[in-house]
Amino acid sequence: MKEKEQKGGVTSRRDFVKQGALAAAAFTIVPRFVLGKGYRAPSDTLYIATIGCGVGGKGHDDTAKFTATGKAKIAFLCDVDSVYAGPTFKTYPDAKVYVDYRELFDKEHKNFDAVSVSTPDNSHALIASAVMQLHKHIWVQKPLTHDIYEARVLAQLAKKYKVVTQMGNQGSSADGVRQMREWYEAGLIGDVHTVYTWTNRPVWPQGGMKWPEKTSPVPTTLDWNLWQGPAKEKPYPYADVKDGGIKLLPFNWRGWWDYGTGVIGDMGAHILEAPMTVLGLGHVSEVQSTQGQPGRDTKSEAFPDNCPASSYSVLTFPKTERSAGNIKIHWMDGGLMPPRPEELEPTDMFMADGEGGGGMVFVGTKGKMQAGCYAAHARLLPISRMDDVINLPQKYPRVKGGQDGHYGQWVEACLAGYGKMETSSPFEKAALVTENMLVANLAIRGYNIPKAPVSAPPVDANAAASAAPAAGRGGRGGFGRRTVYPARGLNLIWDAANMKITNFDEVNQFVKRDYREPFKLSGV
């Protein structure tokens, strides 16, 4: 890379259009007046490179929604799996295709304005940090990062390089979160002290799963090394599910800590963002967690590399200017839900269809309010209280298009330039939401962190024989080896300033990973 490019010297859009540099990507650059009325000049179009674009994944969906704004063009597509991404390649025949994002950036960085990242969580920060060093605007799917340290880094780089950023938690652009903030600040439910949140995820297999010892050949259409990124290198897993294998790609990687961030990583940004915004919450200060057992039979085990099938975490946030005291957010997944609010009528739906399989309930000193996933269908409880907000003035401007407007908002902000327009989930905000989710994951992972198995004390044969029937009812009955859950029952204290848990050091290894060579963050 040339010296000018290393220091962030990037050709401006105006110069870029004059030079006709997009010819390599099969685009024709002509002045606005030649196009005539109703046509958009290339200088008014956002040229996007999409990293991770398989059909069925968010990359494909995001790409379509950027294009639907009428102000964006997909200039480049990059994916490590040519079969999974093949239909997307066909959808955008003018886009030039790459396998390795590093090669794309080296060769084409003058030929695009912005990048959308929708790879597994494992590589979000690597790609995003490289993008911002090129002074390109950036969209990253939720969760923003795999690790807490990475979230801090991306927030700092966004500010340093002055690029427009957005995390793909589209509910942050929805009307619901703005409505609930207006209701809360109008005093309609008093001071909130507790929030219950939940999701029906996982909808992929996880919990009690062991990485297979057998392997399968790597598909010839997949770059397995690039897909793994900074995670420790493993052979491609045995893929026959009926014979003890796992189907890791294209989606089930979410259930493995090396690549995903579990259920709260998948859905937390859609559900926790609203309470954080409505209540003005900062860094979490304490977290405790428990999780469901993988099974009751003697063969069932909890494997530390695999995310749990269900979990329940309680996050404590310090008092803010919008609260009378500390606020506790309860997070439940895997089918767990809070009690049905007593304010609901018997025929009222607690969680209606179309709300994303999750929701939230704010508990205040004067009442409650509820919404679904993405803060959808916000309402006061009892629902008859909705008459109280009919004439309530609108205090916060709405995003054009609401939830779906999340995409157009980012495109417009990129075209306007840094500092000219707001986005709903810039990295400064998204990093804090992500960090709080990942602090919860410290407690979840600490629950099943590897420890030396504990053996029962020796007993005499007669005593063992007399106890055997009772032991059988409990599975292992205290004999032999048992699983240890060291963080169960602990309240972990989070020191945000120093990014560490102060009373259970074993989980701090997950705050910042060691990357596999040659993968590394850019700009740090």
Side-chain angles (χ1 to χ4, degrees):
M1 192 176 289
K2 296 179 181 178
E3 182 69 21
K4 178 182 178 183
E5 295 162 1
Q6 290 177 327
K7 292 183 178 180
V10 178
T11 306
S12 70
R13 164 58 62 194
R14 183 174 298 171
D15 291 341
F16 170 45
V17 171
K18 288 180 179 179
Q19 295 166 4
L22 278 178
F27 298 130
T28 302
I29 305 299
V30 292
R32 184 199 306 268
F33 68 87
V34 175
L35 295 171
K37 185 177 180 180
Y39 290 89
R40 176 169 297 278
S43 56
D44 296 331
T45 300
L46 188 73
Y47 290 88
I48 299 175
T50 297
I51 317 297
C53 51
V55 169
K58 285 303 297 180
H60 177 81
D61 182 60
D62 290 346
T63 297
K65 289 181 177 177
F66 295 141
T67 304
T69 66
K71 297 182 179 181
K73 177 116 179 155
I74 306 305
F76 301 97
L77 294 168
C78 181
D79 203 291
V80 298
D81 189 334
S82 61
V83 169
Y84 183 45
T88 308
F89 296 161
K90 292 180 181 179
T91 302
Y92 304 94
D94 288 342
K96 192 171 181 180
V97 173
Y98 281 86
V99 173
D100 190 333
Y101 72 89
R102 297 168 298 184
E103 180 184 8
L104 165 62
F105 293 168
D106 282 344
K107 292 182 177 180
E108 310 286 0
H109 64 274
K110 292 183 178 180
N111 299 335
F112 58 84
D113 307 305
V115 175
S116 170
V117 179
S118 189
T119 60
D121 308 348
N122 176 47
S123 56
H124 283 187
L126 271 73
I127 301 172
S129 62
V131 170
M132 288 187 282
Q133 280 219 296
L134 295 173
H135 290 237
K136 305 296 183 179
H137 306 305
I138 177 75
W139 167 292
V140 176
Q141 257 307 325
K142 49 77 190 172
L144 184 62
T145 62
H146 184 277
D147 301 342
I148 294 167
Y149 170 76
E150 294 174 336
R152 294 279 182 100
V153 168
L154 293 197
Q156 293 167 0
L157 291 179
K159 184 177 181 179
K160 176 181 178 180
Y161 290 108
K162 301 186 185 309
V163 293
V164 177
T165 60
Q166 184 94 295
M167 180 167 70
N169 56 327
Q170 59 268 31
S172 62
S173 287
D175 291 354
V177 65
R178 290 157 180 79
Q179 290 172 334
M180 288 192 291
R181 184 174 176 185
E182 289 165 352
W183 301 344
Y184 181 59
E185 293 179 0
L188 296 181
I189 62 170
D191 290 311
V192 167
H193 50 81
T194 304
V195 182
Y196 293 99
T197 63
W198 69 94
T199 177
N200 65 351
R201 306 294 175 97
V203 294
W204 55 88
Q206 70 177 49
M209 296 177 64
K210 183 179 181 181
W211 190 269
E213 296 180 359
K214 294 194 292 185
T215 64
S216 288
V218 177
T220 58
T221 56
L222 171 70
D223 190 321
W224 174 237
N225 178 61
L226 273 178
W227 188 93
Q228 293 182 93
K232 57 186 178 182
E233 187 173 8
K234 292 181 179 180
Y236 193 75
Y238 183 56
D240 188 346
V241 177
K242 295 181 180 179
D243 189 29
I246 60 173
K247 191 176 186 301
L248 188 69
L249 276 64
F251 189 71
N252 295 340
W253 51 266
R254 290 190 179 279
W256 299 90
W257 292 120
D258 278 345
Y259 315 113
T261 48
V263 174
I264 196 168
D266 178 50
M267 295 303 292
H270 289 317
I271 298 173
L272 294 178
E273 183 272 334
M276 288 188 61
T277 297
V278 170
L279 303 173
L281 302 180
H283 292 281
V284 65
S285 58
E286 303 172 22
V287 62
Q288 55 183 291
S289 183
T290 188
Q291 58 188 247
Q293 299 288 350
R296 297 295 297 171
D297 63 273
T298 57
K299 295 181 180 179
S300 294
E301 297 181 58
F303 296 101
D305 292 339
N306 190 229
C307 309
S310 62
S311 66
Y312 183 173
S313 300
V314 181
L315 296 85
T316 301
F317 292 84
K319 178 183 181 298
T320 74
E321 60 182 15
R322 300 181 203 167
S323 70
N326 291 351
I327 294 174
K328 291 186 182 294
I329 296 183
H330 296 247
W331 168 268
M332 287 159 268
D333 59 48
L336 303 176
M337 287 183 63
R340 175 185 167 88
E342 59 186 13
E343 291 85 356
L344 288 173
E345 296 294 330
T347 56
D348 291 337
M349 289 294 296
F350 182 20
M351 184 176 67
D353 293 338
E355 294 183 355
M360 61 197 76
V361 173
F362 294 72
V363 182
T365 54
K366 296 181 180 179
K368 298 175 185 176
M369 59 186 179
Q370 178 195 353
C373 186
Y374 318 110
H377 307 294
R379 59 262 198 188
L380 295 172
L381 300 181
I383 297 174
S384 59
R385 289 198 63 200
M386 289 300 293
D387 291 341
D388 297 344
V389 300
I390 292 176
N391 298 316
L392 190 70
Q394 180 176 301
K395 185 177 179 181
Y396 297 105
R398 307 304 195 242
V399 175
K400 183 180 179 181
Q403 181 174 308
D404 285 341
H406 198 59
Y407 304 88
Q409 182 196 56
W410 178 70
V411 169
E412 293 279 8
C414 291
L415 289 170
Y418 179 79
K420 301 293 180 59
M421 287 180 58
E422 291 185 355
T423 56
S424 297
S425 193
F427 283 4
E428 179 183 9
K429 176 182 177 181
L432 182 58
V433 174
T434 299
E435 177 176 326
N436 289 333
M437 291 156 42
L438 297 180
V439 171
N441 267 346
L442 296 182
I444 292 171
R445 299 187 72 172
Y447 184 96
N448 189 32
I449 201 168
K451 283 279 189 179
V454 174
S455 296
V459 295
D460 63 64
N462 291 332
S466 64
R473 288 194 300 270
R476 301 193 181 194
F479 294 102
R481 302 164 76 83
R482 64 182 174 86
T483 305
V484 176
Y485 303 102
R488 178 166 59 182
L490 294 181
N491 193 40
L492 304 187
I493 308 302
W494 177 243
D495 178 356
N498 295 299
M499 282 193 296
K500 64 181 295 186
I501 294 291
T502 60
N503 61 332
F504 189 66
D505 189 58
E506 288 91 334
V507 296
N508 288 319
Q509 62 182 296
F510 305 126
V511 172
K512 179 184 178 183
R513 290 174 291 167
D514 290 327
Y515 288 173
R516 177 171 66 99
E517 292 291 343
F519 299 96
K520 60 182 180 180
L521 288 173
S522 300
V524 295

